[in-house]
Amino acid sequence: MGEFVTVREHPEVSLFCSFLGPPSGTPLLVVHGGPDWDHSYLRQPLDRLGRHVILPDLRGCGRSTQGLGPGGYSFRAAADDLVILADRLGLDRFDLLGFSTGGQIAQRVLLAAPDRVRRTVIASSTLWPVTDANFGPWPERDVLRTAEGRVWAESALTGPDLVREAAVAGAPASVRVPERLPAYLSLLDRVSWSAEWVPGFLAGTLDSPRPPEGPERLRALGAPLLFLHGREDMTFPASFAERAAEFLPTAEAVVLEGAGHMAHLDRAEAWLDALDAFLSRP
């Protein structure tokens, strides 16, 4: 089930949202990554969570409003959209899950509406900027990540085709359980790709998805957070999840062995168990 929810009037911005599970209990608002992906790659295994789950496409992504022009895309605006979306849906209290880039946007949402967010899960993401040096010597990562980087640097494709090609090239780095890779590639075939964010990304003009002074502000806030990560994540180092749990007194980390960036697919049952256990606490 899905519907469009208008969060801005001038210019109009409408977010397409899917709804999973029974419409009862504390809803879980899910922020996908990318951007220029849609939320569909996160539906599995969340469709088995047994909770009321809300999955919006960010502005410019999937079926949500596109064509906003060069100044229409920023991570600050994307986070603000989500707070307004919660207003429009009447979510006085909700849980929050942000995946990858969405995990950084979720930090902005939490800081903007701390009295409304009950629990926050930062999945396969980071509190801090990441460089290649943060991974240490890892030859396999160097090879696999280069494949995606080459697409961005050398591909003749443009628009959504470019974004899709980069995602496919990066698949072996994102999914570390070999038998899961064919299903992941099939999943990518069903993603509704866009390229609204690409110009700013390539030009280096986008704002940071992370909130200004985020770690310090989150530490002062003292909200309950779970950092849910794959040990073999080649996008954001697992050590940063453990570092975040040490830095934030009210945070904890669950790092799944043998899982990559798409830990929710590599170790689906363990990922779901950790998520459900955290959200089930009073």
Side-chain angles (χ1 to χ4, degrees), residues 196-209:
E196 299 288 293
W197 293 73
V198 166
F201 168 68
L202 294 179
T205 57
L206 289 176
D207 57 341
S208 171

Side-chain angles (χ1 to χ4, degrees), residues 249-281:
T250 54
E252 59 191 273
V254 172
V255 178
L256 302 176
E257 301 298 330
H261 188 59
M262 297 294 171
H264 67 298
L265 301 177
D266 274 335
R267 297 282 311 280
E269 294 304 323
W271 192 89
L272 267 183
D273 287 347
L275 175 63
D276 187 56
F278 178 72
L279 296 180
S280 296
R281 295 177 194 168

Side-chain angles (χ1 to χ4, degrees), residues 119-130:
R119 289 183 170 273
T120 302
V121 181
I122 307 297
S124 299
S125 192
T126 180
L127 282 189
W128 296 280
V130 173

Side-chain angles (χ1 to χ4, degrees), residues 154-235:
E154 302 175 5
S155 176
L157 295 176
T158 60
D161 290 338
L162 172 62
V163 182
R164 180 187 181 281
E165 184 183 29
V168 170
S174 295
V175 174
R176 303 299 297 136
V177 177
E179 55 267 31
R180 303 283 187 189
L181 187 55
Y184 178 59
L185 291 171
S186 178
L187 186 62
L188 294 182
D189 284 339
R190 300 192 295 274
V191 169
S192 179
W193 304 99
S194 61
E196 299 288 293
W197 293 73
V198 166
F201 168 68
L202 294 179
T205 57
L206 289 176
D207 57 341
S208 171
R210 298 180 308 280
E213 301 178 347
E216 293 74 19
R217 294 166 64 193
L218 289 170
R219 187 173 187 175
L221 179 62
L225 289 102
L226 170 65
F227 290 84
L228 183 53
H229 220 91
R231 177 66 68 190
E232 296 186 33
D233 193 321
M234 295 183 175
T235 304

Side-chain angles (χ1 to χ4, degrees), residues 24-56:
S24 59
T26 303
L28 175 64
L29 180 63
V30 179
V31 190
H32 69 79
D36 285 328
W37 297 47
D38 67 5
H39 67 256
S40 61
Y41 73 103
L42 292 173
R43 289 181 68 107
Q44 300 176 4
L46 286 172
D47 55 358
R48 305 200 306 272
L49 184 61
R51 295 177 179 269
H52 182 33
V53 180
I54 304 167
L55 299 109

Side-chain angles (χ1 to χ4, degrees), residues 69-81:
Y73 298 101
S74 73
F75 292 109
R76 177 178 180 179
D80 290 345
D81 287 347

